């Protein structure tokens, strides 16, 4: 790697500032990325990473500051200009036309003329070249929706390379990948680096930064707090830079002491609205005082499992709580009856389900429990009582700002999650269903949320945890089940398994369990 | 942080929108060679300058309060009920049935039962679209507007073939009996020594409409049902999570909405017409949409917006009567107000939000 001083950086940002109203999303940010390196940008949600990259890709215009590409001052008013400057972006949510072929997606927006045939032929040729050069094998004639998520991502990378990108920006690229797919992605990125491409990797996963990047910049509250050589830092050091204080990356917990079985599930099946079977005959049990973690790549039926347990959808099979059957199909199969049976549910998507974003915090505290007699006074709701209850909950769960009249959407992700957790945990449930407890939550709040979950377990409650973050599964679970394609691939003891084995199970491969 | 203070959102935005509509209307009036200042004077004089004018303004406003509330309640459940017109027509039928075929000793009893009957008929007319929306996903906008046509046809049939008195050439019911005639504002205010025009149609229904505003406020913001309606309106997936049945809320919200629209009939049919005629609703069901939009679906906002539209209606009628400004142009002016306060809301809101943010940054 050549980083001699006479080589100009592939990208240099000087004093970039951007404000949205009173919110300073980027404050005087300067950064130098040398060609042929992988540069990580890490920071909590809302630290301003995405804003910075959107400025670089021409989606936003910076209030102040300059952009230099290969030493030349460049104006990037829109994404066309970014592409012309050799910048390619792979978004977290792919921008692909699902019912087009790979080839059609690649030329979309980069057609040479009104007729498609010459463009397609040219793209086919360069696709073969790119595939052999970087190890990016994709069938050019496959329909995108039939490809795996990992392959769809490759199409996105190919799209950028086809447009002659020398600088590739990847926004949270591993969020939807299995560990094995992520490994493949990083192999490809290494190949690209060897061929002289410059890569910017945006992530909140410390491990990815440590494993793959050459240099890393840390962002906090819109500011660039540090840029360091990856080899000279440590995960704990980075976490401290991100949050501004020391962080416990490991949850403190004593071994579980499981007691009686609280939740029993037998041969549970869920068919979605399109008639596709999403949960295919699952059986499991959760005991009082233990956390059962369900690992798996997003979209393998975990969400549907949680929803049917939480009474949002119907299914077939048997669910027993404290030995009593729960009605899965009848009229009583809704969230209200579940709550009455001692089941609390922190849903995966707090913005769509767990909260009404336009409701104030106190209205959200009553959400789902709005029929609680304590919240009524005659035919009216006892708003004063709900507000008082909310104030207490906000204090105990350290919600900031502790203002019950603030609208939910004006809280940060971590504080929104705390509002949901306070509501569900303080109901003292026998069983807590909890999905993606720390998705979009800042590291400081993750610590707190994990502690609350473990504390609930230690009170002898049963907890079913669904998470796509393997680190979180390992940190919290007393037993791990892996879900793939609507089925459970098996149970593992977290002390006796590793990421490699779970990763294989998440891809549907089960090794023979040692007897 | 909120983008701008609540008072600016509730007061400043509609006032600026109104001003813009007024300026544009003035330009139109100038363009046809009339004097806009004189026109405004005439409108104000005609609608607010006498108790006669007030009587008409408030009469129209009463209609718009009911239909505005109807649209507002449905809005809270994120449904666009544009069937207020048809529901109000059916409400008229409900009033006529009660007044014609039952003997009443006193107007007050008749009013109570006519109100209930009007609400029941209006709600019934909203039920099928609501049920189809909830169970089959048929879009409420399409079904309610189709039900407006069906209501008109149904009323036409009933008035011509069933309810028309023998020998009458007029497709209308017989006059309602004397004991069902509602006291006008003149009758109500006279004992207090306040002189109010005898000819104006504003009547005791206005008080029912104001009570309805208060009741809707409590329903939406203070009751559990209102909580569930608002939660469902903001997020259907959230409602499902909380165990709120989308089917139930869709149907119940539409029944309340249809009931409110139907209740309008105690004003125009029982209070003013004193018999049921064709097209007695005069488009009030549609004005209700604009009233609800401008009133931000808040009962107090609906109350104010209803009075504003009452003023536009009565003032417009005066203009048509006394100037060469054609009747069609009055409709244009009303449309401009609807356009600016309803459809072009963001045109005023967004620059205003920016302005407030700039000032706030200055403070910080």
């Amino acid at each position: 790697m050549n980083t001699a001083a006479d080589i100009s950086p592939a990208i240099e940002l000087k004093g970039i500032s951007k404000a949205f109203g009173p919110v300073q999303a980027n404050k005087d940010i300067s950064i130098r990325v040398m060609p042929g390196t992988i540069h990580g940008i890490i920071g909590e949600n809302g630290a301003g990473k995405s804003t910075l990259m959107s400025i670089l890709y021409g989606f936003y215009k910076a209030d102040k500051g300059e952009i230099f590409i290969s030493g030349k001052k460049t104006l990037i008013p829109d994404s066309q200009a970014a592409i012309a400057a050799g910048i390619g972006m792979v978004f977290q949510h792919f921008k692909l036309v699902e019912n087009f072929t790979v080839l059609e997606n690649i030329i979309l927006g980069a057609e040479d003329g009104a007729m498609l045939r010459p463009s397609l032929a040219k793209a086919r040729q360069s696709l073969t070249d790119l595939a052999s050069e970087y190890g990016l094998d994709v069938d050019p004639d496959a329909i995108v929706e039939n490809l795996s998520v990992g392959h769809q991502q490759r199409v996105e990378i190919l799209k950028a390379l086809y447009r002659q990108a020398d600088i590739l920006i990847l926004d949270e690229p591993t969020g939807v990948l299995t560990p094995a797919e992520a490994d493949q992605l990083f192999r490809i990125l290494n190949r690209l680096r060897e061929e002289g491409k410059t890569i910017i990797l945006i992530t909140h996963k410390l491990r990815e930064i440590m494993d793959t990047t050459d240099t890393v910049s840390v962002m906090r509250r819109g500011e660039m707090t540090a840029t360091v050589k990856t080899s000279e830092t440590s995960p704990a050091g980075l976490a401290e830079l991100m949050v501004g204080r020391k962080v416990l990356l490991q949850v403190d917990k004593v071994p579980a002491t499981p007691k009686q079985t609280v939740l029993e599930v037998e041969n549970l099946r869920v068919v979605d609205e399109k008639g596709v079977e999403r949960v295919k005959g699952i059986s499991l049990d959760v005991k009082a005082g233990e956390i059962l973690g369900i690992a798996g790549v997003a979209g393998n039926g975990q969400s549907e499992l949680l929803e049917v347990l939480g009474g949002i959808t119907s299914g077939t099979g048997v669910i027993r709580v404290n030995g009593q059957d729960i009605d899965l199909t009848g009229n009583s199969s809704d969230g209200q009856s579940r709550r009455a049976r001692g089941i609390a549910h922190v849903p995966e998507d707090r913005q769509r389900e767990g909260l009404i974003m336009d409701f104030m915090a106190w209205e959200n505290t009553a959400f789902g429990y709005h029929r609680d007699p304590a919240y009524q006074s005659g035919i009216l709701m006892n708003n004063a009582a709900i507000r008082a209850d909310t104030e207490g909950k906000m204090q105990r769960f350290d919600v900031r700002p502790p203002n019950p009249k603030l609208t939910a959407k004006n809280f940060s992700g971590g504080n929104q999650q705390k509002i949901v957790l306070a509501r569900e945990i303080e109901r003292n449930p026998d069983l807590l269903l909890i999905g993606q407890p720390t998705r979009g939550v800042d590291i400081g709040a993750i610590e707190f949320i994990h502690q609350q979950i473990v504390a609930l377990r230690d009170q002898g409650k049963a907890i079913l945890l669904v998470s796509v973050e393997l680190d979180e599964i390992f940190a919290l679970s007393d037993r791990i089940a892996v879900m793939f394609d609507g089925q459970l691939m098996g149970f593992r003891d977290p002390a006796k398994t590793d990421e490699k084995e779970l990763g294989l199970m998440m891809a549907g491969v089960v090794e023979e369990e040692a007897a | 942080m909120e983008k701008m203070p609540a008072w600016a959102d509730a007061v400043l935005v509609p006032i600026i929108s109104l001003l813009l509509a007024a300026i544009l209307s003035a330009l139109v009036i100038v363009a046809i060679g009339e004097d806009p200042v004189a026109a405004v004077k005439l409108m104000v004089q005609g609608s607010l300058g006498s108790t006669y004018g007030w009587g008409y303004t408030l009469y129209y406003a009463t209609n718009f309060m009911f239909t505005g509330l109807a649209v507002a309640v449905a809005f809270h459940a994120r449904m666009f009920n544009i069937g207020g017109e048809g529901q109000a027509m059916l409400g008229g039928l409900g009033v006529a049935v009660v007044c014609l075929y039952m003997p009443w000793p006193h107007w007050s009893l008749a009013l109570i039962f006519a109100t209930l009957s009007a609400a029941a008929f209006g709600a019934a007319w909203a039920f099928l679209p609501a049920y189809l929306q909830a169970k089959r996903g048929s879009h409420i906008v399409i079904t309610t507007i189709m039900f407006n046509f069906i209501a008109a046809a149904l009323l036409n049939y009933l008035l011509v073939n069933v309810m028309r008195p023998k020998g009458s050439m007029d497709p209308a019911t017989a006059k309602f009996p004397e004991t069902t005639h509602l006291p006008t504002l003149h009758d109500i205010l006279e004992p207090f020594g306040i002189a109010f025009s005898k000819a104006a149609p504003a009547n005791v229904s206005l008080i029912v409409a104001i009570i309805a505003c208060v009741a809707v406020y409590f329903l939406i913001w203070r009751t559990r049902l209102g909580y569930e309606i608002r939660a469902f309106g903001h997020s259907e997936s959230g409602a499902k999570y909380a165990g709120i049945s989308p089917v139930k809320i869709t149907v119940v919200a539409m029944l309340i909405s249809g009931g409110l629209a139907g209740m309008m009939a105690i004003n125009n049919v029982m209070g003013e017409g004193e018999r049921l005629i064709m097209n007695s609703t005069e488009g009030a069901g549609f004005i209700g949409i604009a009233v609800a939009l401008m009133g931000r679906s808040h009962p107090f906002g609906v109350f104010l917006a209803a009075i504003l539209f009452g003023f536009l209606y009565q003032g417009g009628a005066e203009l048509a009567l006394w100037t060469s400004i054609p009747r069609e142009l009055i409709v244009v002016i009303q449309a401009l107000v609807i356009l600016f306060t309803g459809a072009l809301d963001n045109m005023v809101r967004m620059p205003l939000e920016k302005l407030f943010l700039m000032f706030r940054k200055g403070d910080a």
Side-chain angles (χ1 to χ4, degrees):
Chain A
M1 192 171 48
N2 193 344
T3 50
D6 57 326
I7 297 178
S8 50
I11 299 176
E12 182 166 17
L13 304 177
K14 277 188 188 165
I16 297 280
S17 290
K18 173 78 188 170
F20 296 102
V23 182
Q24 191 76 34
N26 284 163
K27 209 185 286 174
D28 192 25
I29 288 183
S30 298
I31 184 176
R32 288 160 65 97
V33 182
M34 300 310 287
T37 64
I38 299 184
H39 186 96
I41 294 184
I42 193 163
E44 299 187 81
N45 284 288
K49 298 169 296 194
S50 299
T51 306
L52 187 65
M53 290 306 118
S54 298
I55 289 169
L56 190 52
Y57 201 61
F59 282 169
Y60 296 137
K61 193 176 165 299
D63 299 336
K64 266 200 302 247
E66 294 170 327
I67 300 171
F68 294 85
I69 307 287
S70 306
K72 247 180 36 214
K73 189 177 169 186
T74 313
L75 288 177
I76 304 181
D78 52 33
S79 55
Q80 289 297 324
I83 291 166
I87 301 173
M89 183 120 173
V90 176
F91 293 92
Q92 198 174 356
H93 303 284
F94 306 148
K95 315 257 183 221
L96 296 172
V97 182
E98 297 229 311
N99 52 357
F100 274 18
T101 65
V102 170
L103 216 49
E104 286 169 328
N105 265 291
I106 288 195
I107 63 162
L108 186 67
E111 306 92 341
D112 292 323
M115 301 306 286
L116 287 184
R117 196 174 283 268
S119 302
L120 284 171
K122 191 179 116 193
R124 187 181 297 275
Q125 184 53 47
S126 60
L127 209 58
T128 340
D129 297 346
L130 288 170
S132 59
E133 201 174 343
Y134 302 111
L136 277 162
D137 287 318
V138 186
D139 173 10
D141 297 311
I143 304 286
V144 162
E145 65 188 347
N146 298 334
L147 294 177
S148 70
V149 178
H151 276 79
Q152 292 188 8
Q153 195 173 48
R154 286 187 190 180
V155 178
E156 284 283 14
I157 296 174
L158 282 167
K159 258 169 75 178
L161 295 176
Y162 181 72
R163 287 160 176 73
Q164 320 270 307
D166 288 319
I167 301 159
L168 209 56
I169 305 170
L170 293 106
D171 188 5
E172 301 279 359
T174 59
V176 287
L177 302 183
T178 63
E181 283 176 320
D183 281 348
Q184 280 175 8
L185 170 70
F186 289 125
R187 271 205 295 280
I188 291 167
L189 294 184
N190 273 322
R191 264 303 259 294
L192 289 165
R193 168 172 58 182
E194 283 161 22
E195 301 291 330
K197 305 279 184 194
T198 308
I199 292 158
I200 296 183
L201 177 68
I202 304 170
T203 180
H204 67 276
K205 292 182 186 167
L206 293 166
R207 202 160 33 83
E208 291 173 3
I209 292 285
M210 296 310 295
D211 288 352
T212 52
T213 61
D214 300 307
T215 48
V216 53
S217 298
V218 183
M219 290 190 72
R220 184 170 81 226
R221 287 188 202 149
E223 291 182 78
M224 194 68 86
T225 49
T227 298
V228 290
K229 278 215 170 73
T230 311
S231 54
E232 291 166 6
T233 184
S234 66
L238 284 178
E240 199 179 328
L241 284 169
M242 279 164 71
V243 184
R245 62 179 169 84
K246 281 217 184 307
V247 184
L248 283 173
L249 289 175
Q250 205 57 44
V251 187
D252 265 337
K253 63 170 191 165
V254 295
T257 49
K259 297 187 181 70
Q260 80 283 8
T261 303
V262 173
L263 172 71
E264 288 169 89
V265 174
E266 282 169 26
N267 196 25
L268 181 66
R269 289 172 190 278
V270 177
V271 177
D272 72 7
E273 285 164 350
K274 291 177 190 148
V276 180
E277 197 174 42
R278 305 306 300 264
V279 176
K280 301 173 180 171
I282 277 190
S283 299
L284 56 79
D285 64 325
V286 188
K287 297 187 173 59
E290 75 160 354
I291 300 175
L292 174 66
I294 297 194
V297 180
N300 276 292
Q302 308 98 308
S303 311
E304 288 79 4
L305 174 65
L306 265 190
E307 284 182 350
V308 73
L309 289 172
I312 297 171
T313 52
S314 58
T316 58
V318 179
I319 299 178
R320 271 192 292 273
V321 173
N322 292 328
Q324 283 190 306
D325 275 15
I326 278 187
D327 180 9
L328 288 183
T329 47
N331 292 327
S332 60
S333 68
D334 62 38
Q336 290 293 327
S337 68
R338 296 293 202 277
R339 289 179 181 90
R341 297 287 294 274
I343 304 174
H345 180 191
V346 177
E348 291 186 305
D349 190 337
R350 64 177 162 273
Q351 306 203 341
R352 282 186 66 246
E353 296 186 330
L355 294 168
I356 298 289
M357 298 305 278
D358 289 319
F359 272 13
M360 288 178 273
W362 68 269
E363 290 175 298
N364 272 305
T365 291
F367 194 49
Y369 300 96
H370 53 278
R371 291 178 206 170
D372 181 344
Y375 288 163
Q376 321 291 325
S377 78
I379 60 162
L380 300 180
M381 288 186 85
N382 191 345
N383 293 353
I386 303 173
R387 273 196 284 269
D389 192 20
T390 308
E391 262 168 40
K393 285 188 164 69
M394 290 179 117
Q395 216 154 47
R396 289 187 291 275
F397 278 75
D398 189 31
V399 179
R400 280 179 239 177
N403 175 5
K405 290 189 178 174
L406 197 64
T407 311
K409 63 183 171 198
N410 292 323
F411 287 94
S412 71
N415 284 304
Q416 289 172 355
Q417 189 71 331
K418 284 184 193 172
I419 295 174
V420 180
L421 272 173
R423 180 180 77 206
E424 300 301 327
I425 287 181
E426 292 212 339
R427 286 281 152 180
N428 201 22
D430 293 333
L431 169 68
L432 177 70
L433 310 169
I434 183 161
Q436 320 300 349
T438 55
R439 176 187 280 169
V441 166
D442 32 271
I443 289 198
I446 288 177
E447 209 182 336
F448 180 84
I449 290 169
H450 282 177
Q451 283 164 359
Q452 293 296 327
I453 295 172
V454 171
L456 194 70
R457 179 202 74 167
D458 291 342
Q459 287 169 35
K461 309 299 184 185
I463 295 170
L464 181 75
L465 163 77
V466 168
S467 177
V468 293
E469 304 274 357
L470 262 187
D471 292 346
E472 184 162 77
I473 292 281
F474 269 110
L476 292 176
S477 308
D478 301 311
R479 271 193 304 149
I480 299 174
V482 181
M483 204 160 168
F484 170 74
D485 192 27
Q487 289 169 311
L488 286 187
M489 306 308 289
F491 293 86
R492 292 290 184 270
D493 179 345
K496 291 181 191 150
T497 185
D498 54 22
E499 282 194 14
K500 192 165 159 256
E501 187 190 17
L502 292 187
L504 281 172
M505 290 167 79
M506 284 160 72
V509 182
V510 185
E511 289 169 1
E512 279 307 307
E513 208 170 342
Chain B
M1 190 138 14
E2 305 291 343
K3 281 176 177 154
M4 57 181 176
W7 64 267
D9 184 67
V11 181
L12 217 54
V13 172
I15 285 182
I16 294 176
S17 303
L18 270 181
L19 277 177
L20 288 174
I23 291 168
L24 215 61
S25 305
L27 289 177
V28 173
I29 293 174
V30 169
I32 61 165
E34 290 277 341
D35 177 5
V37 178
V40 170
K41 266 191 191 155
L42 191 62
M43 276 180 85
V44 173
Q45 185 62 35
S47 57
L48 310 174
S50 65
T51 59
Y52 174 83
W54 269 104
Y56 268 97
T57 300
L58 291 176
Y59 163 73
Y60 290 125
T62 307
N63 283 344
F64 302 152
M65 276 177 218
F66 282 119
T67 54
L69 288 175
V71 177
V73 168
F75 268 157
H76 279 290
R78 191 166 292 174
M79 278 185 292
F80 203 176
N81 175 19
I82 54 176
E85 190 75 5
Q87 290 143 17
M89 282 184 205
L90 264 287
L93 193 61
V95 166
V97 168
V98 165
C99 292
L100 284 174
Y101 304 128
M102 289 176 208
W104 296 104
H106 190 258
W107 65 263
S108 56
L109 267 178
L111 176 63
I112 292 169
F113 281 89
T115 306
L116 293 177
S117 173
F121 272 68
W125 203 244
F127 173 75
L128 213 54
Y131 182 82
L132 289 172
Q133 167 84 63
K135 285 284 191 191
R136 296 260 166 256
S138 317
H139 204 286
I140 202 98
V141 168
I142 310 288
T143 46
T144 48
I145 202 157
M146 293 201 302
F147 265 64
N148 286 342
F149 288 102
I150 303 174
L154 177 68
L155 221 60
N156 197 344
Y157 170 80
L158 289 176
L159 287 179
V160 170
N161 298 302
V162 182
M163 300 177 89
R164 179 170 52 93
K166 274 202 172 69
S168 163
M169 299 290 284
D170 191 12
T173 66
K175 200 96 174 137
F176 297 160
E178 190 76 31
T179 51
T180 66
H181 291 183
L182 295 179
T184 62
L185 285 191
H186 167 82
D187 303 329
I188 296 170
L189 293 173
E190 206 175 24
F192 301 100
I194 304 170
F196 201 89
S197 162
K198 228 177 171 160
N203 59 72
V204 68
S205 306
L206 172 64
I207 295 166
V208 181
I210 292 169
I211 294 171
C213 286
V214 176
V216 167
Y217 170 81
F218 274 92
L219 169 76
I220 295 294
W221 273 282
R222 298 298 305 278
T223 68
R224 200 166 62 205
L225 177 63
Y227 180 91
E228 293 190 345
I229 288 176
R230 284 184 297 130
F232 171 75
H234 282 301
S235 163
E236 180 169 348
S237 50
K240 275 190 195 153
Y241 157 78
I244 298 167
S245 159
V247 171
K248 185 188 133 194
I249 294 299
T250 302
V251 172
V252 169
M254 276 303 287
L255 288 181
I256 295 171
S257 176
L260 284 163
M263 278 163 70
M264 181 192 117
I266 60 167
N267 187 46
N268 67 334
V269 176
M270 193 176 179
E272 199 261 347
E274 292 172 354
R275 60 178 188 148
L276 182 60
I277 57 168
M278 300 272 291
N279 192 28
S280 59
T281 50
E282 294 180 301
F286 294 112
I287 299 293
I289 298 167
V291 168
L293 279 173
M294 191 174 176
R296 304 244 152 277
S297 299
H298 191 289
F300 187 63
V302 166
F303 173 79
L304 291 180
I307 291 181
L308 172 80
F309 275 88
F311 157 73
L312 283 176
Y313 247 59
Q314 170 56 13
E318 290 286 314
L319 270 190
L321 195 61
W322 299 109
T323 66
S324 62
I325 300 176
R327 176 77 204 151
E328 286 68 30
L329 200 73
I330 314 299
V331 179
V332 170
I333 293 173
Q334 286 160 357
L336 280 171
V337 173
I338 295 176
L339 193 67
F340 273 91
T341 55
L344 296 181
D345 186 66
N346 271 341
M347 195 179 75
V348 173
R349 180 179 305 275
M350 280 153 90
L352 213 60
E353 277 173 358
K354 275 198 183 143
L355 212 67
F356 270 96
L357 284 177
M358 260 168 57
F359 278 122
R360 184 166 308 154
K361 243 199 301 190
D363 293 342

